[in-house]
Amino acid sequence: SVNQAIAQFEQTASDWENSGDIQKTVFCLNEAAKLSQNISDYKTAFRVLDKAVKLSSANNLISEKIVSLSLYALISRQKGNTENS
């Protein structure tokens, strides 16, 4: 199911973070956010994106941060929250 896939991406992100590969961590978090968006689970989408933005900012991963912020804006707009889009 989609929820299982989201959980797997979050677990994989955690594993990558523990190994020190923040770029792959952020990638997995962004994928979890996309899947969450597909099932309108905005709480999860924003939670994982918040973490992705924080990690990419702290580690100076500009491209990854741009992707995360773009997803944040897209999902905010889909949800109807144009203030954050």
Side-chain angles (χ1 to χ4, degrees):
S1 79
V2 175
N3 286 319
Q4 288 174 322
I6 293 166
Q8 286 179 324
F9 270 115
E10 287 192 77
Q11 180 58 55
T12 303
S14 179
D15 293 343
W16 281 120
E17 185 176 11
N18 290 335
S19 76
D21 193 330
I22 304 303
Q23 188 173 19
K24 288 180 182 171
T25 302
V26 173
F27 174 83
C28 289
L29 292 170
N30 286 340
E31 292 302 309
K34 290 177 196 176
L35 289 173
S36 298
Q37 173 194 18
N38 287 339
I39 60 169
S40 300
D41 181 357
Y42 301 114
K43 182 179 178 181
T44 299
F46 292 130
R47 178 178 51 78
V48 296
L49 286 174
D50 285 341
K51 183 171 184 176
V53 170
K54 181 179 176 183
L55 286 170
S56 59
S57 294
N59 291 277
N60 202 29
L61 299 171
I62 304 302
S63 296
E64 289 77 4
K65 183 178 179 181
I66 290 169
V67 170
S68 298
L69 290 173
S70 296
L71 286 169
Y72 203 103
L74 178 70
I75 295 168
S76 291
R77 186 169 182 189
Q78 179 182 343
K79 185 182 177 204
N81 185 357
T82 54
E83 183 178 307
N84 290 329
S85 62

